[in-house]
Amino acid sequence: MKTVRETVDVLVAGGGTAGHIAALQAARAGVKTAVIEAGSMLAGTMTAGGVNMPNHFYSTMGPVVLGIPWELYTKSKEIEGLPIPDYTKRRPVESPGYYSYINVPIYVAVAEEEVVRAGAIIHYHEFISDVKAVGDFWEVTSLGRGIQRVTRAREIIDASGDSDVVRILGLGVMRDEVRQPGSYQYKIEGIEHEQIWEGEVQKIYEEAMESGELQKGDFSYPNILPFKYYLDHGGHNGTHIYNSDTSDVNGQTAANLEGRARMLRMFQFVTSSIPGCERAVLKTMYPRAVARETYRTEGEYIITKDDFMQATDFDDKICNAFNYIDMHSEARGCDVTFHDDQTLLPKVPFRALIPKGSARITVAGRIVSAQRVALGGIRAQCVCMAMGQAMGAAAALAVQRKVPSREISTKDIIALTVEHGAVPV
Ligand SMILES: Cc1cc2nc3c(=O)[nH]c(=O)nc-3n(C[C@H](O)[C@H](O)[C@H](O)COP(=O)(O)OP(=O)(O)OC[C@H]3O[C@@H](n4cnc5c(N)ncnc54)[C@H](O)[C@@H]3O)c2cc1C
């Protein structure tokens, strides 16, 4: 196999939700940046995973995450020909935050264009398989079809969603026996909603469950929502995959197979049994099953549920973490916990993004160092992207000052992200 060598300042491991923003921030700050992504597009769970709902740019109290994520979001909306939502003019809703949706093809193309324009190098279809420290550099090996790449980098941002680099380096990770289920995203279109009667479809669904035609998890939320919800959303974000573990290829393959089997079963059920769905079509299917949690990093600080619910004002806060706790389970479907007071705005401390006992490596995204229940809130996409922007800034400043990222003051990290549009914290 051909070996290719590359030297950069900052290497972003995984170009997903957090990683593509980290790469953009580092490159725009003027350091040579590469992003290695195992899949075929940027933004990970948000795009390839089909979870195209970045929450939340605004709470009902005002902006919580703007910066580079907001720039890409608004640019993609403009290309779509849709107005940029003016959240300040919206009426308060049942949820403490406002939902946003992206058009996946447009968002991916916009993000790619900006990353390339900023001078960052994108390597798709490559898995990081080995990482070692050599003097003041990291030497990162990635494998792709036909090549093995060896990248030298001063700083690494692990944005792999599963703490891949942290695990390769033998640093601490946390993982619970009971984890939230994963999901598989698809969308059934062409349902004639005016023909749907809530009571009738509920009965049909319950009979199918009783007869074994459908299985638990085909519709994720039977305990909290009527089956009509599944039809209202064309099945999107409505399937659970229990015990899924996408942190290795065997688990990812098993989750993809199970997700698609559930999708097909549901499509056949709704078109053959639900009045008003005879002409429905299964048009959209995303490439891979996605996980809500696998391995979290054990950082210099572990964010607790109390930190999240009471919005601890950390000395080293680097971004907001606004969301509610959204806990999915096999037993209950999904439970949500809102803050007592809508003015409470949780934060992420820098220490939760530094693997314990490490230097020149940070993490961003759902692998943040947090207790499982706290992660149920922090893992929202806008928070992951804000962490990515902050760690992109920290890595760039570290390279420019020739010190490890952990020595960069949070004041300077925030100043750089604010220069790039972020909400000050
Ligand atoms: C079903 C589901 C529904 C959700 N609903 C919402 C919602 O409505 N709104 C919301 O805001 N949030 C939602 N979330 C949460 C949110 O989507 C995730 O927490 C977030 O996207 C995770 O971002 P990340 O950057 O940590 O990981 P990802 O976006 O998954 O990115 C990780 C990237 O790293 C790459 N990678 C992994 N390992 C390697 C390797 N070794 N080498 C190279 N590349 C690698 C992967 O291919 C991937 O692209 C949901 C999550 C799920 C699973």
Side-chain angles (χ1 to χ4, degrees), residues 16-18 37-38 45 53 55 128 160 164 292 366 379 381:
T17 311
E37 166 52 47
T45 297
M53 304 90 86
N55 294 346
I128 291 174
S160 63
D164 281 32
R292 291 182 171 82
R366 68 171 187 244
R379 66 191 176 91
Q381 292 171 3

Side-chain angles (χ1 to χ4, degrees), residues 13-19 36-39 41 43-46 51 53-56 99 126-129 159-162 164 168 181-185 237 288 290-292 323 326 328 364-367 379-382 384:
T17 311
I36 294 183
E37 166 52 47
M41 64 184 87
T45 297
M46 224 168 104
V51 184
M53 304 90 86
N55 294 346
H56 300 274
Y99 286 76
E126 277 181 38
F127 269 97
I128 291 174
S129 57
S160 63
D162 304 306
D164 281 32
I168 290 169
S183 282
Y184 192 74
Q185 306 295 351
N237 209 18
R288 64 169 193 241
V290 278
R292 291 182 171 82
N323 194 19
D326 177 28
H328 295 245
R366 68 171 187 244
I367 62 174
R379 66 191 176 91
Q381 292 171 3
C382 289
C384 289

Side-chain angles (χ1 to χ4, degrees), residues 26-43:
R28 285 184 180 176
V31 297
K32 189 170 178 192
T33 305
V35 51
I36 294 183
E37 166 52 47
S40 60
M41 64 184 87
L42 293 176

Side-chain angles (χ1 to χ4, degrees), residues 285-312:
M285 173 191 95
Y286 289 90
R288 64 169 193 241
V290 278
R292 291 182 171 82
E293 53 173 297
T294 61
Y295 290 95
R296 310 184 302 284
T297 303
E298 186 188 350
E300 295 290 0
Y301 183 78
I302 300 173
I303 304 172
T304 65
K305 181 185 174 194
D306 284 351
D307 288 330
F308 184 77
M309 291 310 289
Q310 290 158 24
T312 302

Side-chain angles (χ1 to χ4, degrees), residues 320-351:
N320 291 321
F322 174 75
N323 194 19
Y324 48 85
I325 291 178
D326 177 28
M327 201 47 110
H328 295 245
S329 65
E330 179 168 359
R332 294 193 35 83
C334 180
D335 291 298
V336 292
T337 312
F338 293 150
H339 288 91
D340 288 338
D341 174 347
Q342 291 210 5
T343 61
L344 289 171
L345 185 46
K347 314 273 189 250
V348 178
F350 188 23
R351 283 164 299 153

Side-chain angles (χ1 to χ4, degrees), residues 66-395:
L66 294 175
I68 296 173
W70 177 251
E71 175 202 321
L72 297 185
Y73 170 70
T74 53
K75 195 164 179 200
S76 72
K77 281 277 159 241
E78 272 160 23
I79 294 171
E80 252 186 290
L82 292 175
I84 314 301
D86 182 353
Y87 295 100
T88 59
K89 294 223 171 79
R90 289 189 65 174
R91 290 159 190 81
V93 286
E94 308 76 42
S95 151
Y98 296 110
Y99 286 76
S100 312
Y101 279 80
I102 54 163
N103 173 299
V104 168
I106 294 176
Y107 185 89
V108 168
V110 165
E112 244 169 33
E113 197 174 66
E114 289 300 327
V115 170
V116 171
R117 182 176 294 146
I121 307 160
I122 300 174
H123 294 300
Y124 283 140
H125 301 293
E126 277 181 38
F127 269 97
I128 291 174
S129 57
D130 192 30
V131 184
K132 54 180 186 247
V134 180
D136 281 349
F137 279 88
W138 294 110
E139 206 169 83
V140 178
T141 304
S142 49
L143 296 173
R145 190 171 175 212
I147 68 156
Q148 164 182 271
R149 188 182 310 282
V150 180
T151 307
R152 276 162 68 86
R154 286 202 175 273
E155 286 280 335
I156 297 182
I157 302 169
D158 185 345
S160 63
D162 304 306
S163 302
D164 281 32
V165 176
V166 171
R167 285 190 288 148
I168 290 169
L169 288 171
L171 296 165
V173 287
M174 298 176 281
R175 178 182 149 101
D176 291 75
E177 267 314 301
V178 176
R179 299 181 304 278
Q180 296 188 65
S183 282
Y184 192 74
Q185 306 295 351
Y186 59 88
K187 185 135 193 209
I188 299 172
E189 294 176 34
I191 294 172
E192 292 170 281
H193 292 279
E194 64 280 9
Q195 291 199 49
I196 303 295
W197 295 97
E198 184 171 326
E200 182 189 32
V201 297
Q202 187 63 29
K203 209 150 182 38
I204 297 171
Y205 166 71
E206 283 166 12
E207 282 165 8
M209 284 296 289
E210 250 165 57
S211 72
E213 184 184 353
L214 295 183
Q215 290 179 16
K216 190 174 179 192
D218 288 345
F219 168 49
S220 322
Y221 315 116
N223 303 1
I224 54 166
L225 290 166
F227 184 66
K228 183 173 177 293
Y229 175 91
Y230 176 94
L231 299 172
D232 289 345
H233 292 78
H236 188 244
N237 209 18
T239 297
H240 272 164
I241 304 173
Y242 305 122
N243 304 316
S244 81
D245 180 356
T246 55
S247 64
D248 67 33
V249 281
N250 284 347
Q252 181 71 65
T253 302
N256 289 356
L257 294 176
E258 183 178 329
R260 289 183 193 131
R262 288 183 183 278
M263 170 187 79
L264 195 58
R265 187 160 54 234
M266 283 302 261
F267 176 66
Q268 288 176 312
F269 164 68
V270 297
T271 47
S272 64
S273 306
I274 306 277
C277 293
E278 299 82 357
R279 283 184 288 185
V281 282
L282 183 48
K283 261 198 189 158
T284 311
M285 173 191 95
Y286 289 90
R288 64 169 193 241
V290 278
R292 291 182 171 82
E293 53 173 297
T294 61
Y295 290 95
R296 310 184 302 284
T297 303
E298 186 188 350
E300 295 290 0
Y301 183 78
I302 300 173
I303 304 172
T304 65
K305 181 185 174 194
D306 284 351
D307 288 330
F308 184 77
M309 291 310 289
Q310 290 158 24
T312 302
D313 189 25
F314 299 105
D315 287 342
D316 63 336
K317 58 189 178 243
I318 43 87
C319 67
N320 291 321
F322 174 75
N323 194 19
Y324 48 85
I325 291 178
D326 177 28
M327 201 47 110
H328 295 245
S329 65
E330 179 168 359
R332 294 193 35 83
C334 180
D335 291 298
V336 292
T337 312
F338 293 150
H339 288 91
D340 288 338
D341 174 347
Q342 291 210 5
T343 61
L344 289 171
L345 185 46
K347 314 273 189 250
V348 178
F350 188 23
R351 283 164 299 153
L353 300 177
I354 302 172
K356 195 170 179 187
S358 72
R360 297 188 293 109
I361 173 169
T362 59
V363 303
R366 68 171 187 244
I367 62 174
V368 54
S369 173
Q371 287 177 347
R372 182 168 176 263
V373 179
L375 183 77
I378 300 168
R379 66 191 176 91
Q381 292 171 3
C382 289
V383 185
C384 289
M385 290 192 281
M387 289 187 243
Q389 182 163 357
M391 291 309 94

